[in-house]
Amino acid sequence: MNTRSQNKHIIDAVFVICLALLFVLSALSVIAIGADIYKKNVSAMESNNDRRIATAYVTEKIRQADVNGAVYARNIFAHNALILQEEINGQLYDTYIYEYEGTLMELFARDDLEVFYPQSGQKIMNILSFDVEEVSEHILSVNITLLDGTTDHLYITKRSANGG
């Protein structure tokens, strides 16, 4: 009788250990699934954030500089660039927004400066490409391709006209 009672206690102990292991495996599975969902959400939020930053940055820069003839596109460094012109103490200055080696760049320089280097600009964010062109006197077309390959295409209306 004693052996039967001892076997019963061993089976009870094995059952409790198996139940504990099942609980641990279930908990680890739930944690792994939750971590995967969290990682996907963070990745989607980063992608959305990059998209909003790039388009909001360019749009806001155009809105800030939008006075008569001060916003236009021009080819520099073998790429189309956005030029934002302003007058400070009687001297004209240009802000160039362009893509250089996979980075959206901004460079502030005097308008009469003829030689400057694209790497001199301030890095804004990493992108694949940036292209801007004037569709009409009042409309700019902007294409920004982000690192994930998505392309944002914007039409931005200038509220001012040239020479006014």
Side-chain angles (χ1 to χ4, degrees):
M1 239 170 149
N2 195 12
T3 55
R4 193 167 226 199
S5 172
Q6 191 175 14
N7 283 342
K8 197 174 188 183
H9 288 296
I10 290 174
I11 291 174
D12 288 346
V14 169
F15 178 74
V16 169
I17 290 172
C18 288
L19 195 59
L21 285 175
L22 182 64
F23 175 75
V24 168
L25 288 175
S26 298
L28 289 175
S29 296
V30 168
I31 290 170
I33 291 169
D36 188 48
I37 291 170
Y38 179 77
K39 185 194 292 186
K40 287 179 183 175
N41 283 342
V42 167
S43 176
M45 286 173 47
E46 283 177 356
S47 175
N48 188 29
N49 193 31
D50 286 348
R51 170 175 270 161
R52 290 184 315 161
I53 287 172
T55 56
Y57 174 78
V58 171
T59 303
E60 188 61 28
K61 284 300 222 177
I62 290 171
R63 296 284 179 251
Q64 287 176 352
D66 192 6
V67 295
N68 291 336
V71 177
Y72 56 95
R74 189 171 81 196
N75 194 311
I76 61 168
F77 313 127
H79 296 289
N80 285 342
L82 179 63
I83 314 298
L84 312 168
Q85 197 171 66
E86 65 182 300
E87 185 177 333
I88 301 173
N89 296 329
Q91 176 71 45
L92 285 177
Y93 290 89
D94 294 333
T95 300
Y96 301 90
I97 299 175
Y98 56 96
E99 181 268 330
Y100 177 71
E101 294 184 347
T103 304
L104 184 64
M105 306 283 280
E106 178 181 323
L107 177 67
F108 184 76
R110 284 193 337 254
D111 183 58
D112 60 354
L113 190 63
E114 293 184 21
V115 178
F116 52 91
Y117 302 99
Q119 62 268 27
S120 301
Q122 176 71 39
K123 293 179 180 180
I124 305 302
M125 68 181 297
N126 293 327
I127 59 171
L128 290 178
S129 69
F130 175 79
D131 186 46
V132 60
E133 64 179 286
E134 293 186 64
V135 176
S136 72
E137 182 181 8
H138 295 283
I139 298 175
L140 290 169
S141 172
V142 179
N143 289 310
I144 303 170
T145 304
L146 302 174
L147 292 177
D148 64 1
T150 58
T151 300
D152 279 346
H153 184 79
L154 307 168
Y155 285 105
I156 303 172
T157 303
K158 296 189 279 185
R159 296 196 174 111
S160 63
N162 290 334

